Amino acid sequence: MIPGLVIRPMSGADIPEILALETESPAWSGSQFAGEMSQTIGWQYVAASSALLGYICGRSVLDEAEIVKIAVKRDARRTGVATRLLVYSLEKVFQKGVRTCYLEVRSSNTAARSFYEKNDFVVTGVRKNYYVSPREDAVMMAKALG
Ligand SMILES: CC(C)(COP(=O)(O)OP(=O)(O)OC[C@H]1O[C@@H](n2cnc3c(N)ncnc32)[C@H](O)[C@@H]1OP(=O)(O)O)[C@@H](O)C(=O)NCCC(=O)NCCS
């Protein structure tokens, strides 16, 4: 638990701090985050205490949502930050009618897969060679909300 952690909507002013935390390969650019924020179907939240510690981006259409990005600052991991972001986001989209949330994750990303499983996502399939650099399968996961 991080004292004083709050979840709030992402703003353009957060982008420099977010880019400093982007560790995934390939990392998103500032314009990709700005693009997400300009989407009417998109939703984005950040977790912050004295500094920004994590962020989540997703999209919703009717009763379905998809998580397209979630990341936590390395030295703040395993303290529940991603769980707070996920629970908060899924409560928000549930209130707007979403009943199923989907995502894709690299098959080698054991931390993320464990995180999603702990949060009741189940594997629904595999997309062979979905990712490039390095080429890798995507594991598709879903969670029923409510
Ligand atoms: C995946 C990620 C977002 C998890 O963030 P986090 O804030 O560390 O997650 P939490 O602290 O909320 O973890 C909740 C639970 O998930 C599981 N979990 C999280 N990280 C784990 C790891 N490295 N190994 C095994 N289980 C893990 C554990 O069950 C954990 O509970 P516990 O700490 O009580 O054992 C983080 O590792 C990250 O930013 N990774 C890089 C970006 C990324 O891969 N994003 C996902 C792309 S699909």
Side-chain angles (χ1 to χ4, degrees):
M1 283 285 285
I2 301 215
L5 188 75
V6 295
I7 310 295
R8 60 167 172 77
M10 185 184 289
S11 79
D14 294 317
I15 290 179
E17 263 188 290
I18 288 170
L19 294 183
L21 301 194
E22 263 292 278
T23 53
E24 270 189 276
S25 179
W28 279 18
S29 65
S31 56
Q32 277 175 289
F33 282 101
E36 282 301 310
M37 280 188 263
S38 70
Q39 293 222 32
T40 50
I41 61 170
W43 40 268
Q44 310 82 29
Y45 299 102
V46 298
S49 55
S50 51
L52 196 145
L53 298 178
Y55 44 94
I56 187 168
C57 300
R59 298 174 195 163
S60 302
V61 176
L62 302 175
D63 61 351
E64 296 185 349
E66 181 185 15
I67 294 169
V68 295
K69 171 74 72 178
I70 183 167
V72 170
K73 188 178 181 186
R74 277 189 199 282
D75 63 9
R77 290 180 190 169
R78 302 303 288 268
T79 63
V81 173
T83 301
R84 286 277 303 275
L85 280 164
L86 182 69
V87 169
Y88 184 92
S89 306
L90 295 185
E91 278 176 10
K92 287 278 182 195
V93 295
F94 182 78
Q95 286 163 15
K96 294 186 173 167
V98 170
R99 294 296 176 262
T100 314
C101 183
Y102 299 91
L103 60 86
E104 280 142 12
V105 56
R106 279 184 180 273
S107 60
S108 67
N109 192 345
T110 52
R113 289 177 64 176
S114 298
F115 166 72
Y116 293 130
E117 279 162 16
K118 172 106 183 254
N119 285 281
D120 302 321
F121 280 81
V122 295
V123 173
T124 57
V126 173
R127 288 191 212 278
K128 293 298 285 180
N129 295 324
Y130 179 79
Y131 293 106
V132 292
S133 307
R135 187 166 289 284
E136 194 175 346
D137 296 347
V139 176
M140 299 151 64
M141 304 184 83
K143 173 182 165 112
L145 308 187

